[in-house]
């Protein structure tokens, strides 16, 4: 069943038991909206030098957008900024692959749980759901940087 | 097979709609429950489009040659058909636009640029409702921003009806225009036109009715409505995309200024100044959607042949059945009227905590096409404190079996995320 | 048969256009010489429309179900095709409208509502030309009336060219926008874009180019033009009616305010205020002309497969031949450039004292379809002191034999009224 | 040949040798335009009590609109207003008949030369040309009446 390729066990797990949900102190906050469906997220980042000390978030959305925020939290917190950016780029590439990209071992190593989203990339309407939190994180990070909170 | 009184012969009707034969996901026949977003098109409408392009295509109004006269006759003939369909006193009151949104923006802009007594300015008020499609909110917000007029609105009750309890405070002597939807595109609510129109007339305000969700489904009689403007859109009433209608009272159309300028809408042009053609042409700048008007004419013929009363009766039967069956699904909550009274064949609901996106996705896998999200009516979602809804909407080709398929699908959704 | 260098294989091409097989007046094959008003449509475009309606019809952008995703991909795919066709730096710079007239009104209204530095107000000036289609005059007259801005224009020389001798007085530091046609729809003149753009840039004015008569006939490269906005219309370029395009520079589209409000163009809506989607959606309120955009995509594919250079070469050959043959007709006076240089395949003329209406009527009896009247460019008629013209216009399916038929027809007209 | 039904000899005669063309003194003047094709007419009426003393006109237009103005002048000048209105109504009816009305003797008696326009009624684009001067006359008469110039 094709649907299972989108709703991987890992995704449903993250959806039902989200990591790091809730808003906590941060250096910068952004609010992103997906006008196509109305999904919304408020996201804060906190940096400790170059290290991501926390990504906290709150929002409403479908299983894909919720799970994606949870995976993001799990993957990025504790990482150095440069590494996190690499992960973000890899995730973006995967999501824009229209189902054409078969994640290999190297990719799995970078993306960990996030490779489960490969199936979502076949559904253009849902790609935005998966990317919502990642775009918010990128934006919040840029904001934190420009406000000179890191490094 | 479920048999309900009042149903149309959907077996025959469905043969007219090629898309309904479509299969998705390895051979699953499509169950199209998104007619409130756009309807499917019968063969008869597609034939009219092809016939126009293959035999009569020419620009209208200015040609003396044969096919230009034919094209003009077809285009203006479509106007006659639409005028008859809505019982307009005069064909000249029917303006072709590109969609209902343009029709509504046209009204807002005419009033913004009008002279007294119509002019909307910072001393006046505009009234709409919380139940509107964004296309009947944003034009008035823009008008309000640009003129300084105050925008006011009716709220919604818990069961999805307009709250008219404060009608005399909302519609006042300052009100210039009251614009509201006849049928809600998200909840299916049919609104009490008469009460609103009576109050508007009392204070001398104009009334604009958004009939986008009414024209496809019930008898639309602009004279009985007693409105000043009525807007609707072709693609929801088995017509092509790219065509909308604004009906307006003749004397208003004469008095009000044009909106878009260009070819076709003028009388004479010099570099220094121009004069305008009489309505409806005054409001139709540029080459109109000719083929699309012809297609809408064919759509109106198609609907009339079946009969709008019959279509309405069919939808009422389906709606009553759908409401009953949906309420059997555990955790399903209908947003809007939860009975079949005074409502159209559009039903929004939530399903426990499962996000509508996920509902829609799993249903799609079964071939069932429903819409999920805000349905361009975000204030309604805000009002009920929900992120979005799942919406099933029915039309003249919908069957009880499709209602059953939806209910089965929803139970499957529950198991999937259970 | 006349053979000219550079002609396309019209025998093959004409097979794609069902209407060209049409006969009128007891079996006379139609000689369609009115492509400047609207072009005929190839089978490929009609097939794309039918395929869309029969297999993929759904409202765009908001559906998670299969056919809604297909419809969205087709609609947005058409945007990609159009962007490539005009060499747009970004697909997001391509806005779908209903026709070129709406595109031009959109520019005028954006500038009227804009903040500085774009805002057109009573201290500023708007520049156009005497050669424009009414659709590039009236929007600016309306803007000028509504804002108090001064409207100025370039005149025309005796041989149908723009008179740019006073360019520095016409375009000044006060000029906010210069809007002019790339190719005249009445005289066929191709205008010197570069000189005008250079002067506009000097004073910091925006440039809007009406490419309605260029896009169908020649390579259109918005980057090479260096304009800020470029407008054109689908029905003249073998596409459907009901679809137009506005291309605009991304940063401008980001900065400028929306025009029509409604569904699709918003980001979030509450009753109190709304925010808007990024361009192009910010400017596409309501259900767009979906099928028509898909049809325009197919039209662009069709034209590109033949090659715009080849089409242009074909038309140049036909035009040179037509100019030569027409000048053989006694009392015939070409209005506009009387040579084949720097002109498109549209030729206006008068025939002694015989009124164009009568010319057109008698030609129609021979199956020859030409347009007569002002061609929505009355200032040009005023300029030359003539009541109207007869206009023959050619396209990729036109043949030298059709030129010959026209010339024979005109001789017949002279005898008839002789 | 179908064309001959439009371009009757009588019409071509009036076109080439128009009656009463040129502007002379009048009680009221109107300017009418046919936006479809740009035909224009300036027309003046002069009344002598209930009698039409003169209809003078100037304009540009095709053979049909020119001939129609000439016929109008010939038919109406010298008539009583009531009779002229009957003629106008009969002409209007004929022109709106879409070629379905075969003029009979009674009609010929009222319309005289104007019955020659029967063929024009088959051509919707030209009906307006034929009616231009007649509409202008009606309008000018209403204006003259409202200014109290007659009776
Ligand atoms: C030069 C020019 N500009 C604008 C237009 C307007 O195009 P549309 O009527 O499709 O809006 C036309 C054709 O009618 C034209 O020839
Ligand atoms: C109630 C209502 N009003 C207005 C509209 C706008 O119609 P369109 O998108 O065709 O402009 C719609 C549908 O989208 C609608 O349902």
């Amino acid at each position: 069943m094709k649907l299972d390729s989108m709703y991987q066990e890992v995704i449903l797990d993250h959806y039902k038991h989200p990591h790091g949900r809730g808003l906590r102190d941060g250096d910068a906050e952004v609010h992103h909206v997906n006008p196509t469906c109305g999904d919304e997220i408020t996201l804060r980042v906190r940096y400790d030098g170059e290290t991501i000390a926390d990504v906290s978030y709150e929002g409403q959305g479908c299983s894909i957008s919720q799970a994606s925020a949870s995976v993001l939290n799990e993957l990025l917190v504790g990482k150095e900024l440069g590494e996190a950016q690499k992960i973000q780029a890899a995730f973006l590439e995967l999501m824009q692959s229209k189902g054409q990209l078969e994640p290999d071992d190297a990719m799995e190593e970078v993306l960990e749980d996030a490779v489960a989203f490969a199936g979502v990339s076949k559904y253009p309407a849902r790609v935005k759901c998966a990317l919502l939190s990642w775009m918010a994180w990128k934006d919040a990070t840029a904001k934190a940087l420009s406000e000179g909170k890191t490094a | 097979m479920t048999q309900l009184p009042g149903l149309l012969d959907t077996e025959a009707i469905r043969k007219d709609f090629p898309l309904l034969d479509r299969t998705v996901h390895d051979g699953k026949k499509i169950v199209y429950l998104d007619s409130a977003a756009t309807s499917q098109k019968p063969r008869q409408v597609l034939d009219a489009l092809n016939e126009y392009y293959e035999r009569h295509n020419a620009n209208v109004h200015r040609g003396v040659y044969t096919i230009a006269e034919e094209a003009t006759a077809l285009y203006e003939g479509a106007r006659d058909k639409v005028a008859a369909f809505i019982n307009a006193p005069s064909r000249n009151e029917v303006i072709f636009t590109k969609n209902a949104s343009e029709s509504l923006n046209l009204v807002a802009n005419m009033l913004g640029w009008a002279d007294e007594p119509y002019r909307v300015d910072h001393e006046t008020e505009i009234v709409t409702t919380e139940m509107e499609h964004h296309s009947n909110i944003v034009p008035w917000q823009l008008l309000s921003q640009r003129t300084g007029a105050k925008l006011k609105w009716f709220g919604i009750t818990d069961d999805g009806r307009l709250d008219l309890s404060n009608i005399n405070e909302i519609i006042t002597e300052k009100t210039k225009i009251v614009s509201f939807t006849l049928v809600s595109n998200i909840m299916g609510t049919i609104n009490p036109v008469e009460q609103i129109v009576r109050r508007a007339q009392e204070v001398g305000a104009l009334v604009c009715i958004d009939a986008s969700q009414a024209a496809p489904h019930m008898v639309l009689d602009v004279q009985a409505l007693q409105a000043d403007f009525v807007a609707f859109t072709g693609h929801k009433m088995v017509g092509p995309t790219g065509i909308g209608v604004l009906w307006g009272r003749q004397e208003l159309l004469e008095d009000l200024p044009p909106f878009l300028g260009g070819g076709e809408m003028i009388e004479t042009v010099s570099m220094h100044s121009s004069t305008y053609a009489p309505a409806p042409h005054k409001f139709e700048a540029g080459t109109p959607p000719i083929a699309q008007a012809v297609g809408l004419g064919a759509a109106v013929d198609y609907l009339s042949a079946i009969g709008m009363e019959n279509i309405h009766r069919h939808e009422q039967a389906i709606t009553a059945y759908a409401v009953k069956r949906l309420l059997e699904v555990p955790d399903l909550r209908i947003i809007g009227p939860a009975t079949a009274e005074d409502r159209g064949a559009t039903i929004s609901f939530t399903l426990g905590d499962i996000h509508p996106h996920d509902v829609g996705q799993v249903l799609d896998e079964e071939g069932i096409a429903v819409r999920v999200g805000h349905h361009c009516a975000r204030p309604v979602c805000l009002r009920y404190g929900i992120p979005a809804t799942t919406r099933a909407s029915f039309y003249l080709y919908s069957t009880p079996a499709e209602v059953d398929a939806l209910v089965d699908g929803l139970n499957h959704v529950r198991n999937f995320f259970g």
Side-chain angles (χ1 to χ4, degrees), chain A, chain B:
Chain A
M1 193 195 174
K2 205 174 142 214
L3 209 53
D4 292 331
S5 79
M6 172 182 302
Y7 292 116
Q8 303 267 333
E9 213 45 52
V10 189
I11 293 182
L12 291 178
D13 269 358
H14 274 279
Y15 169 49
K16 287 173 194 160
H17 312 286
H19 285 248
R21 199 187 159 90
L23 284 177
R24 295 172 293 278
D25 268 1
D27 305 330
E29 172 182 311
V30 297
H31 179 77
H32 273 211
V33 172
N34 178 351
T36 318
C37 58
D39 282 3
E40 299 188 17
I41 193 166
T42 305
L43 182 144
R44 290 184 191 155
V45 289
R46 189 160 58 80
Y47 279 87
D48 186 0
E50 284 286 316
T51 310
I52 300 174
D54 194 14
V55 180
S56 65
Y57 62 95
E58 205 171 68
Q60 55 189 24
C62 62
S63 57
I64 303 298
S65 74
Q66 299 292 303
S68 167
S70 167
V71 168
L72 177 146
N73 173 286
E74 197 180 60
L75 265 177
L76 300 195
V77 174
K79 294 274 191 323
E80 296 295 299
L81 176 57
E83 210 181 328
Q85 283 168 333
K86 259 183 237 152
I87 298 173
Q88 201 265 351
F91 188 70
L92 189 65
E93 191 193 345
L94 179 65
M95 293 319 297
Q96 292 174 339
S97 71
K98 304 188 172 160
Q100 301 305 313
L101 216 153
E102 198 54 64
D104 55 12
D105 287 356
M107 192 168 232
E108 281 216 28
E109 199 152 312
V110 178
L111 288 180
E112 302 180 27
D113 272 10
V115 293
F117 286 84
V120 176
S121 72
K122 277 178 248 168
Y123 296 82
R126 306 305 292 277
V127 168
K128 283 187 191 159
C129 308
L131 287 177
L132 186 66
S133 52
W134 293 81
M135 292 305 181
W137 171 79
K138 196 178 161 193
D139 198 14
T141 296
K143 217 165 152 186
L145 286 176
S146 76
E147 286 164 14
K149 290 289 172 58
T150 78
Chain B
M1 273 256 300
T2 315
Q3 273 307 339
L4 308 171
L7 287 192
L8 292 168
D9 178 1
T10 47
E11 210 175 310
I13 289 175
R14 292 174 73 88
K15 291 213 178 85
D16 291 334
F17 290 82
L19 189 134
L20 297 180
D21 249 353
R22 171 79 200 263
T23 57
V24 292
H25 299 307
D26 308 321
K28 291 212 188 76
K29 188 79 155 264
I30 201 164
V31 175
Y32 185 72
L33 302 182
D34 196 19
S35 291
T38 198
S39 73
Q40 295 307 329
K41 323 300 175 200
R43 172 74 51 211
Q44 288 83 341
V45 167
L46 304 186
D47 286 349
L49 293 174
N50 286 320
E51 163 91 9
Y52 169 77
Y53 282 127
E54 292 180 7
R55 311 239 337 128
H56 312 290
N57 175 63
N59 213 326
V60 291
H61 293 145
R62 266 147 235 271
V64 294
Y65 57 86
T66 307
I67 60 168
E69 294 207 340
E70 290 169 356
T72 305
L74 283 167
Y75 178 68
E76 293 299 333
R79 200 190 305 278
D80 292 327
K81 289 177 185 187
V82 171
F85 185 73
I86 61 174
N87 193 28
S90 158
R91 68 183 306 279
N92 293 331
E93 299 179 337
V94 173
I95 299 165
F96 285 127
T97 60
K98 69 174 171 178
N99 55 25
S101 303
E102 186 191 347
S103 301
L104 294 163
N105 279 278
L106 171 49
V107 177
N109 278 274
M110 285 192 291
L111 299 181
W113 295 120
D115 292 327
E116 285 303 342
Y118 308 115
R119 190 175 185 83
V120 167
D121 61 25
H122 68 282
E123 290 175 351
T124 64
E125 295 177 355
I126 302 164
V127 172
T128 183
T129 90
E130 204 176 357
M131 194 191 282
E132 302 306 311
H133 188 280
H134 294 162
S135 292
N136 200 25
I137 297 176
V138 185
W140 304 113
Q141 287 181 337
L142 288 171
L143 182 64
S144 150
Q145 283 160 24
R146 287 166 183 178
T147 61
K150 185 167 172 193
L151 183 63
K152 294 162 82 177
W153 55 88
F154 289 105
I156 318 177
T157 66
D158 287 343
D159 56 345
R161 303 285 172 188
L162 280 185
D163 175 6
L164 299 179
S165 59
N166 54 351
I167 188 166
N168 291 349
E169 286 100 78
I170 301 279
I171 302 179
T172 71
E173 299 289 333
K174 287 189 173 171
T175 310
K176 284 280 179 152
I177 173 89
V178 180
S179 189
F180 65 97
T181 193
L182 186 42
V183 180
S184 157
N185 74 304
I186 175 166
M187 300 184 293
T189 319
I190 299 181
N191 286 319
V193 172
E194 216 187 302
Q195 195 184 345
I196 302 173
V197 168
R198 203 181 319 122
R199 174 61 186 160
Q201 287 177 345
E202 234 170 67
V203 302
L206 295 177
V207 173
C208 173
I209 293 185
D210 177 358
S212 302
Q213 296 289 346
H217 303 292
M218 55 183 72
V219 175
L220 186 68
D221 179 333
V222 296
Q223 299 192 54
L225 288 176
Q226 292 198 41
D228 298 290
F229 302 101
V230 175
F232 53 99
T233 198
H235 65 92
K236 293 189 204 281
M237 51 195 292
V238 312
T241 58
I243 182 87
V245 173
L246 178 69
W247 170 84
R249 276 203 296 117
Q250 185 138 21
E251 63 196 84
L252 291 172
L253 298 183
E254 272 162 24
D255 287 357
L256 290 167
F259 174 38
L260 303 181
E264 308 278 340
M265 56 72 77
I266 53 89
E267 188 183 60
T268 58
V269 171
S270 77
M271 293 310 290
H272 293 277
S273 71
S274 301
T275 58
Y276 308 117
H281 298 110
K282 177 162 78 171
F283 301 104
E284 296 182 353
T287 303
I290 307 171
Q292 292 73 37
V294 173
L296 180 58
V300 155
D301 282 347
Y302 184 85
L303 295 175
S304 301
I306 294 175
M308 293 310 295
E309 292 92 346
N310 300 330
I311 291 172
H312 188 52
R313 196 169 318 117
H314 173 83
E315 293 182 13
Q316 283 183 306
I318 292 276
T319 305
Y321 182 66
V323 166
K324 175 171 110 8
R325 295 268 0 241
L326 284 172
L327 291 176
E328 292 165 19
V329 179
D331 302 330
L332 187 145
R333 171 184 164 212
I334 289 181
I335 304 297
T339 66
E341 269 74 62
D342 289 333
R343 60 133 56 244
T346 293
I347 308 177
S348 266
F349 55 85
T350 56
L351 189 62
D353 280 343
I354 309 172
H355 193 280
H357 255 205
D358 294 315
V359 176
Q361 194 79 54
V362 175
L363 289 178
D364 176 54
E365 201 69 18
E366 307 292 310
I368 301 166
V370 294
R371 189 135 301 222
V372 299
H374 291 142
H375 317 289
C376 295
R378 185 167 177 269
V380 171
C381 294
L382 292 179
R383 160 68 178 80
Y384 293 108
I386 48 176
T389 79
T390 302
R391 183 186 73 181
S393 54
F394 305 91
Y395 203 8
L396 76 168
Y397 37 63
S398 303
T399 66
E402 291 183 316
V403 173
D404 295 336
L406 172 64
V407 170
D408 292 348
L410 290 172
N411 284 318
H412 175 62
V413 170
R414 292 189 69 242
N415 293 335
F416 192 89
F417 292 102

